[in-house]
Amino acid sequence: MNTPQLRVIIVDDEALARQLIREYLASHTDISVIEECANGFEAVKAITEIHPDLVFLDIQMPKLSGFEVLELTQRKHGVIFTTAYDQYALKAFEVHALDYLLKPFSRERFDAALAHARQHIQDAITWEVPSSLTSDKKTERILIRDGVQVHVIPVTQIDYIEAQDDYIAIYTAGKCYLKTQTLADIEKQLDPSRFVRIHRSYIVHVERIARIELYAKDSRTAILRDGKQIPISRSGYDHIKQLL
Amino acid sequence: MHPVLGNIRSLAWYALVWLFAGVLIAKLIYFTGRGDWAQAFAFAIPLTLVYGFINLSAYYVSRSSPLASDRRLRVVLTALFNAMLTACFWLALAMGWNVILHEWQTAIVMDTGTTMIMIVVGTVLYLLSIAIYYVMMMARQAEQAKQNELQSAVLSRDAELRMLRAQIDPHFLFNSLNSISALTHSDPDGARRMTVELAAFFRQTLALAQKPLITLREEWNLCEHFLSVEKVRFGNRLTVEMMLPEQLYDILLPPMLIQPLAENAVKHGIAQCVEGGTIRIHALTDGPYAHIVIENPMEDESSYSEGTHIGLDNIRKRIQNQYGRDARLTTEKQNRLFVAKLSIPVSPGEVSA
């Protein structure tokens, strides 16, 4: 009887590291490596187009990190991280990784990870990570998928973010990017000492504010460096007062 | 702790010195005709020994008003006041003692001359004691300062070494070992070569970090080992061009100033570029300066944001320690190229013709 084939992709920017995983996989006849990716962009494309059963994913890569690849593809199953860095183990747990292989790893350790993966490959494991354990490191860049293209926006370039129906509009130096996300959600990802929710529909980059003008009692407007005017709600004014 | 009362030996020497002073005073009494030998000795010896004991207090006077340039007058006045007060007290003792001796028929002649001499001698002796204590205190302070200096030198050297060791990214080792692990199957000879390079790099790092200064050639060598390990890891994504003119071989500089820059060039440059690129390192002289320039491609602005500053600041601190304001490390980004330039002063003898 034929066992069903597991379709695997290997994502690592180092050819030798990919070669090693390929070698370890060679003795497993139920595995077929259908793609190798040398950077995050290729990985995003491969994951969305061919939906592999299992992904061996490096973390530190050019263009996009392994975590950013998962964020962009919304993949929550069938991922094994392979990295030389041990400090991401907790974060890997948060994004539902099946395993975390620390380079260099032995064949035995690799086989154990693979055996574990075979059992759980279809489970989108949804465990709750206690909030005390979640890393509170704030994001340094925002990723936006636009068809096959991926925009990477460093948060330092953001002027302000506006909520629009189901998505948010991110304004940077005259450009505007749309992303499907709620304003409350992105607010959590941003550094509160730099980004302030000044209104139900607006988050603004504090450094971009040129001045704040009072129009009527309890009605203020933030004037940005480029002249753009953004309303400030009463609670929003309380937030920003604490920062300035 | 009192320097004299501290131990028996110094106390014995101290008593001996005062005994000698007592003999001198007895002679003075005898030769000025104020008494015969027996009277002079009976009067002078016990009194001087007692005075010696009293003079131990001079230590506390000198300690309570330490020598400081802004309080010179105060120090002098305090010493003089205390000395005269003690001398008067001593005179009173002497008169009392003379009365007792009078009972035993061994009193000396206690006239105005005697009292004047006693006040002057007592004051001078006390002042002398204070002066000696000051000298002792200064000597002790100098000793302490020397000790402190030595200790801080040892500490800073220690800190520097620890910092140098911490500077090498351990992930460099883990990633290299992973490459070796991959090569053992497909290219055993390559695996062996890489092992040897890796060992050479770490051995050199340990040896060089111990020295305060190394030659530019040695540092160059270290970078070559480091980059050839990284070349195996990154394959054709990394090319290296290094150029060191022969006349700059013997320039001396603190160890591990350039290697961290090469490491940055890989970690924040090559590793972030999909296509990879070339790391160029070259050195040149320009008058009294040597410049070492490290260039690498970079993907975008953000890749150089975090992590690099600590490494660069470390180098800046170290060259400032070594050269003061004469050395500098500058970085610039031009058109997807990151350029770090290290400039250090060289003495004419270091650059061979």
Side-chain angles (χ1 to χ4, degrees):
Chain A
M1 204 180 93
N2 258 352
T3 44
Q5 287 279 304
L6 270 189
R7 296 152 67 248
V8 169
I9 69 168
I10 302 170
V11 185
D12 198 307
D13 63 321
E14 294 172 28
L16 282 171
R18 295 198 300 272
Q19 184 192 312
L20 180 71
I21 295 176
R22 217 177 234 287
E23 185 204 322
Y24 280 171
L25 286 172
S27 57
H28 298 270
T29 49
D30 61 333
I31 303 277
S32 59
V33 178
I34 48 174
E35 182 93 29
E36 281 187 19
C37 308
N39 63 63
F41 283 173
E42 286 178 25
V44 169
K45 191 160 172 286
I47 290 172
T48 45
E49 283 175 4
I50 57 186
H51 299 288
D53 298 310
L54 184 59
V55 181
F56 288 96
L57 187 57
D58 187 14
I59 293 177
Q60 300 266 353
M61 290 183 293
K63 303 275 190 196
L64 296 174
S65 77
F67 290 115
E68 289 168 335
V69 168
L70 294 187
E71 190 198 324
L72 283 168
T73 56
Q74 291 295 305
R75 186 176 173 106
K76 291 192 171 70
H77 67 279
V79 176
I80 294 177
F81 282 109
T82 63
T83 177
Y85 293 79
D86 55 5
Q87 67 259 44
Y88 300 115
L90 192 62
K91 199 166 176 211
F93 182 65
E94 285 171 32
V95 298
H96 318 299
L98 287 169
D99 211 334
Y100 192 86
L101 291 172
L102 270 176
K103 292 175 184 172
F105 42 83
S106 67
R107 186 186 284 276
E108 289 73 25
R109 179 70 185 82
F110 182 85
D111 287 350
L114 195 60
H116 178 65
R118 279 201 195 90
Q119 284 172 14
H120 295 282
I121 213 117
Q122 292 309 329
D123 318 347
I125 307 164
T126 49
W127 47 48
E128 277 304 308
V129 180
S131 60
S132 61
L133 283 177
T134 51
S135 51
D136 49 335
K137 191 168 183 294
K138 297 301 177 185
T139 190
E140 281 300 317
R141 44 195 204 168
I142 305 278
L143 307 172
I144 295 156
R145 241 174 96 199
D146 175 15
V148 288
Q149 237 191 328
V150 174
H151 298 288
V152 180
I153 306 168
V155 293
T156 49
Q157 285 176 17
I158 297 174
D159 296 331
Y160 66 99
I161 304 170
E162 183 183 3
Q164 296 183 348
D165 299 331
D166 294 341
Y167 49 88
I168 51 174
I170 300 166
Y171 292 87
T172 72
K175 281 202 203 115
C176 170
Y177 300 92
L178 296 178
K179 189 180 185 190
T180 332
Q181 195 176 17
T182 66
L183 201 62
D185 201 28
I186 200 160
E187 187 186 2
K188 271 184 239 154
Q189 292 177 15
L190 294 168
D191 178 1
S193 66
R194 284 190 286 173
F195 292 90
V196 194
R197 182 96 174 245
I198 58 167
H199 187 271
R200 192 164 43 85
S201 311
Y202 291 98
I203 292 174
V204 75
H205 192 175
V206 175
E207 286 163 26
R208 297 296 196 277
I209 299 176
R211 62 184 189 278
I212 291 173
E213 286 183 358
L214 181 69
Y215 277 120
K217 192 177 183 303
D218 283 340
S219 165
R220 292 181 173 82
T221 303
I223 318 283
L224 301 194
R225 297 251 167 85
D226 60 2
K228 168 79 189 171
Q229 301 190 1
I230 297 172
I232 302 178
S233 66
R234 203 192 307 179
S235 64
Y237 184 65
D238 290 340
H239 290 156
I240 201 158
K241 244 191 342 200
Q242 287 168 8
L243 274 189
L244 298 178
Chain B
M1 191 62 213
H2 197 289
V4 177
L5 289 175
N7 64 65
I8 299 287
R9 262 173 70 101
S10 57
L11 196 61
W13 276 106
Y14 186 75
L16 206 66
V17 169
W18 281 96
L19 197 65
F20 182 63
V23 172
L24 286 183
I25 291 173
K27 275 186 176 172
L28 190 69
I29 291 166
Y30 176 75
F31 286 116
T32 51
R34 289 184 165 85
D36 58 26
W37 277 117
Q39 287 168 338
F41 274 98
F43 177 80
I45 299 297
L47 270 180
T48 0
L49 283 178
V50 168
Y51 198 54
F53 187 73
I54 293 169
N55 267 249
L56 289 171
S57 67
Y59 169 68
Y60 300 101
V61 175
S62 55
R63 211 177 60 166
S64 69
S65 70
L67 284 181
S69 53
D70 56 333
R71 297 196 301 183
R72 224 173 273 156
L73 187 67
R74 211 185 124 165
V75 169
V76 171
L77 288 180
T78 311
L80 206 60
F81 176 75
N82 277 289
M84 284 170 73
L85 201 69
T86 320
C88 288
F89 178 64
W90 187 46
L91 179 65
L93 274 181
M95 285 169 137
W97 181 232
N98 207 33
V99 170
I100 294 170
L101 289 176
H102 192 72
E103 299 291 314
W104 302 334
Q105 312 297 324
T106 46
I108 60 156
V109 181
M110 189 57 90
D111 54 7
T112 328
T114 317
T115 52
M116 284 306 289
I117 288 170
M118 280 201 66
I119 292 268
V120 171
V121 169
T123 307
V124 169
L125 281 176
Y126 200 82
L127 282 176
L128 209 63
S129 298
I130 292 180
I132 287 169
Y133 284 125
Y134 272 129
V135 170
M136 281 169 76
M137 266 161 57
M138 270 161 64
R140 208 188 272 184
Q141 268 170 14
E143 180 85 7
Q144 193 78 40
K146 210 168 146 190
Q147 198 105 29
N148 284 349
E149 198 180 318
L150 214 70
Q151 201 160 14
S152 75
V154 168
L155 277 180
S156 78
R157 182 92 199 106
D158 239 34
E160 172 118 319
L161 265 177
R162 228 174 305 132
M163 197 200 68
L164 282 177
R165 248 177 249 143
Q167 225 171 30
I168 295 173
D169 186 354
H171 301 107
F172 160 69
L173 178 63
F174 299 142
N175 278 317
S176 304
L177 289 174
N178 197 56
S179 302
I180 292 173
S181 171
L183 285 171
T184 44
H185 185 77
S186 61
D187 178 11
D189 279 344
R192 193 168 300 144
R193 272 199 303 278
M194 190 165 177
T195 316
V196 172
E197 286 286 357
L198 197 60
F201 170 71
F202 274 101
R203 185 170 295 126
Q204 253 185 334
T205 304
L206 293 176
L208 295 182
Q210 310 285 341
K211 303 185 191 174
L213 291 172
I214 63 171
T215 64
L216 187 54
R217 175 123 169 96
E218 288 174 303
E219 179 79 25
W220 216 258
N221 235 306
L222 191 70
C223 293
E224 279 168 351
H225 283 301
F226 172 76
L227 288 170
S228 48
V229 172
E230 294 289 51
K231 251 165 97 170
V232 180
R233 216 181 113 199
F234 287 98
N236 49 23
R237 269 168 78 199
L238 172 61
T239 20
V240 175
E241 286 175 16
M242 291 183 73
M243 207 191 61
L244 177 65
E246 210 169 309
Q247 66 265 29
L248 304 186
Y249 279 7
D250 297 328
I251 289 176
L252 291 173
L253 74 174
M256 314 271 306
L257 282 184
I258 307 174
Q259 188 273 338
L261 294 173
E263 194 171 317
N264 270 352
V266 174
K267 195 173 168 188
H268 301 281
I270 300 297
Q272 305 297 326
C273 296
V274 173
E275 302 295 328
T278 305
I279 294 179
R280 282 189 190 83
I281 307 182
H282 61 272
L284 57 138
T285 46
D286 169 22
Y289 292 99
H291 304 288
I292 295 113
V293 184
I294 296 101
E295 288 175 14
N296 63 272
M298 60 174 203
E299 182 58 31
D300 54 42
E301 299 282 316
S302 61
S303 65
Y304 255 85
S305 61
E306 53 180 312
T308 37
H309 293 301
I310 305 162
L312 294 178
D313 285 349
N314 254 339
I315 297 175
R316 288 203 175 97
K317 249 180 254 161
R318 294 185 57 216
I319 56 175
Q320 207 197 341
N321 279 346
Q322 181 69 32
Y323 303 105
R325 285 159 168 271
D326 277 348
R328 60 163 57 176
L329 171 65
T330 54
T331 57
E332 60 177 327
K333 298 162 187 169
Q334 30 171 281
N335 212 2
R336 297 207 156 188
L337 202 65
F338 186 85
V339 184
K341 186 171 167 188
L342 177 71
S343 306
I344 54 167
V346 288
S347 49
E350 287 180 307
V351 183
S352 39

